[in-house]
Amino acid sequence: MIETLSSNDYFILLCALLLITGVLAAKFSSRFGVPALVLFILLGMLAGSDGIGFIHFENIKLAQLLGLFALVIILFEGGLQTKWSTVKPVLLPSLSLATLGVIITSCIIAVAAKYILGLTWFEGMLFGAIVGSTDAAAVFAVLKGQNIKERLGSTLEAESGANDPMAVFLTLLFIEFILNDATSITYMITNFLWQMGAGLIIGLTFGKAASLAINRINLDSSGLYPVFALAFALLTYSVTALLGASGLLAVYVSALVIGSHDLTYKHSIFRFNEGFAWMMQISMFVILGLLVFPSDLLHGTIIIVGLLLSAILIFIARPAAVFLSTWNMNMNWKEKAFLSWAGLRGAVPIVLATFPLLAGLENSQLFFNLIFFIVLTSTLIQGSTIHFFAKSLSLTGPKKVTPMHTLELISIGKANAEIIEYEVNEETVVIGQQLKDIPFPKDVLINAIIRKGELITPTGNTKIENEDTLYILVSRKSEQELKNLLTPDNAAKSTRSFIKA
């Protein structure tokens, strides 16, 4: 009994140390010019049995489970943070990159892998499928806080969120081809249509249901709302996957829908999922780092072949996929060159590389080591130079500045009221008007105004200016009237965060 408790305590201590080290790595990653996820992977490799020997971990099935769980959380958080208004204009190139682009990349890498490694065609296609997609975790992490032009950032985020299902589908398909020669082309096509079509429909349905449920339910604690939203993400993935469709696509689509709705406790939901997604990124990359043995990874053959395949992926396969899949889509060569360079590989290829291992395929360990090396190369070289590349091509926008203010919203009881955060924009009809002249409903009170990062105490003579952030106390019954007053033609575009009062 004492030994069991001691081992449990040891495990908890290790988790604490790894998370603290991961947070510190994320803190200093920008200073080092290295993406945080690379440091997480190196942390796992260092802590493993081939490093300083803190942890001996080789449970591939558990690593795959934890990896999929983390990807669900990361995709959900990424979808919540992605605005539909920014995704909609780039939907066509994003979907083309997520489908046709993945196929082109996979085919080029498949040919290279077949002749370099002496594989069969199906094995080559399996290898290409595993590294064919960009990675949402890597892209979201590297682009966060960067002042890349919004159009390009949205394209990359939408592509990475939508192309994981394609990579999963192709990987499972070619494993099936290798294990079962009788698999038909008809099965492949129908399975693909079902995976994508059902994943999209279920994602939309669950996203709308979750938005409605979050706003309708009256929970006793504000801390339960983020948990409730997260539960819908897990439910969306599991139900979709159990139906044989793409659970990852469904999660990302549902998050886009949820994030575009006005939600009760929206800030709480977003901040909780942001923190949880960071914890999942740290945990996932550390665990994936534990799976690999540096002595195997740094073998001469792995280094030479890995560098050769990485070069083909970065300089041939990805650019060919980008330029062909975005043909005639109103993108100039600079934008296409940037999209080519920003095609980061990350957790998804490593997680997918565990599928052949669990299936017991020949060369599966070689696949895993090479794919791990390719991911490290991609994140280290491309991830650390994305900003420099964008700046060199004049594809950066205004520097993103985080306003230097915080506002703690505290529940004040069970009254049927809310505090709304509203960002004034060009569609707000009361710009330039004094508060005393605006016909607000009787039960509306402007509590505070944030203007250019500074707190303004509102009075009757205070004028509303563009880009002001208003904090408004309003009763539930007057909420729609207030939105119609501020933006009568497009009230739904108001940005809100709620606190039940």
Side-chain angles (χ1 to χ4, degrees), residues 209-280:
S211 303
L212 182 63
I214 291 168
N215 285 334
R216 291 291 181 88
I217 195 170
N218 187 14
L219 299 174
D220 293 334
S221 171
S222 61
L224 291 174
Y225 284 89
V227 178
F228 193 52
L230 180 62
F232 268 98
L234 299 175
L235 181 67
T236 301
Y237 173 83
S238 56
V239 170
T240 309
L242 289 171
L243 291 174
S246 176
L248 294 177
L249 176 62
V251 167
Y252 186 69
V253 171
S254 68
L256 280 174
V257 174
I258 294 171
S260 65
H261 276 76
D262 292 335
L263 297 176
T264 301
Y265 294 100
K266 188 169 187 176
H267 271 317
S268 297
I269 293 171
F270 277 38
R271 297 291 78 80
F272 172 86
N273 280 283
E274 183 180 18
F276 196 31
W278 268 112
M279 189 174 75
M280 287 295 99

Side-chain angles (χ1 to χ4, degrees), residues 416-431:
N416 190 22
E418 297 169 344
I419 290 180
I420 297 177
E421 179 189 68
Y422 177 85
E423 295 179 2
V424 178
N425 54 63
E426 63 275 4
E427 296 176 352
T428 305
V429 297
V430 296
I431 290 179

Side-chain angles (χ1 to χ4, degrees), residues 176-228:
E176 180 71 19
F177 272 127
I178 293 171
L179 295 176
N180 182 12
D181 293 335
T183 304
S184 66
I185 299 297
T186 303
Y187 166 80
M188 179 180 71
I189 296 174
T190 55
N191 190 24
F192 172 77
L193 293 176
W194 170 253
Q195 288 255 347
M196 301 302 148
L200 177 62
I201 293 172
I202 295 173
L204 290 171
T205 303
F206 275 72
K208 291 180 179 179
S211 303
L212 182 63
I214 291 168
N215 285 334
R216 291 291 181 88
I217 195 170
N218 187 14
L219 299 174
D220 293 334
S221 171
S222 61
L224 291 174
Y225 284 89
V227 178
F228 193 52

Side-chain angles (χ1 to χ4, degrees), residues 18 69 126 148 197 205 256 305 311 313 361 393 448 463 474 485:
L18 288 174
F69 182 85
L126 174 60
I148 309 299
T205 303
L256 280 174
V305 175
L313 173 64
L361 298 184
L393 294 173
K463 286 186 178 182
V474 58
L485 170 67

Side-chain angles (χ1 to χ4, degrees), residues 85-412:
S85 60
T86 63
V87 171
K88 188 176 179 181
V90 298
L91 190 59
L92 182 59
S94 298
L95 291 178
S96 182
L97 285 167
T99 51
L100 180 59
V102 172
I103 293 173
I104 293 172
T105 303
S106 299
C107 289
I108 294 174
I109 294 299
V111 173
K114 171 181 167 50
Y115 288 106
I116 293 173
L117 299 174
L119 305 175
T120 66
W121 277 113
F122 280 153
E123 287 176 330
M125 289 303 299
L126 174 60
F127 190 94
I130 292 173
V131 297
S133 71
T134 58
D135 179 62
V139 171
F140 292 154
V142 171
L143 291 184
K144 187 166 288 185
Q146 299 281 5
N147 60 332
I148 309 299
K149 282 191 175 180
E150 186 177 67
R151 181 170 180 246
L152 294 175
S154 299
T155 301
L156 286 169
E157 290 179 354
E159 177 204 2
S160 64
N163 70 5
D164 289 347
M166 172 63 79
V168 173
F169 166 76
L170 290 175
T171 299
L172 295 177
L173 176 69
F174 286 110
I175 289 177
E176 180 71 19
F177 272 127
I178 293 171
L179 295 176
N180 182 12
D181 293 335
T183 304
S184 66
I185 299 297
T186 303
Y187 166 80
M188 179 180 71
I189 296 174
T190 55
N191 190 24
F192 172 77
L193 293 176
W194 170 253
Q195 288 255 347
M196 301 302 148
L200 177 62
I201 293 172
I202 295 173
L204 290 171
T205 303
F206 275 72
K208 291 180 179 179
S211 303
L212 182 63
I214 291 168
N215 285 334
R216 291 291 181 88
I217 195 170
N218 187 14
L219 299 174
D220 293 334
S221 171
S222 61
L224 291 174
Y225 284 89
V227 178
F228 193 52
L230 180 62
F232 268 98
L234 299 175
L235 181 67
T236 301
Y237 173 83
S238 56
V239 170
T240 309
L242 289 171
L243 291 174
S246 176
L248 294 177
L249 176 62
V251 167
Y252 186 69
V253 171
S254 68
L256 280 174
V257 174
I258 294 171
S260 65
H261 276 76
D262 292 335
L263 297 176
T264 301
Y265 294 100
K266 188 169 187 176
H267 271 317
S268 297
I269 293 171
F270 277 38
R271 297 291 78 80
F272 172 86
N273 280 283
E274 183 180 18
F276 196 31
W278 268 112
M279 189 174 75
M280 287 295 99
Q281 281 193 54
I282 295 172
S283 303
M284 176 177 61
F285 284 111
V286 168
I287 289 171
L288 294 177
L290 289 171
L291 272 182
V292 72
F293 294 92
S295 58
D296 293 338
L297 194 66
L298 299 177
H299 189 275
T301 303
I302 297 296
I303 293 176
I304 295 172
V305 175
L307 285 174
L308 180 57
L309 289 172
S310 295
I312 293 172
L313 173 64
I314 295 172
F315 297 108
I316 299 176
R318 173 66 179 180
V322 170
F323 277 81
L324 290 174
S325 60
T326 59
W327 183 266
N328 200 27
M329 288 191 184
N330 196 28
M331 281 190 173
N332 59 46
W333 73 267
K334 287 186 177 182
E335 293 173 326
K336 292 181 181 181
F338 175 76
L339 292 176
S340 300
W341 187 252
L344 297 178
R345 269 60 190 172
V348 170
I350 301 176
V351 172
L352 291 181
T354 64
F355 284 55
L357 285 170
L358 291 176
L361 298 184
E362 187 181 359
N363 296 318
S364 58
Q365 188 62 53
L366 175 64
F367 279 22
F368 184 85
N369 291 334
L370 283 172
I371 288 164
F372 200 98
F373 189 90
I374 290 171
V375 167
L376 272 180
T377 306
S378 172
T379 51
L380 189 59
I381 296 176
Q382 294 172 277
S384 59
T385 56
I386 277 185
H387 180 73
F388 171 79
F389 206 80
K391 190 174 181 180
S392 300
L393 294 173
S394 302
L395 296 175
T396 54
K399 186 176 181 180
K400 294 182 179 180
V401 179
T402 303
M404 297 298 292
H405 71 269
T406 59
L407 180 65
E408 293 293 332
L409 301 178
I410 303 173
S411 176
I412 57 175

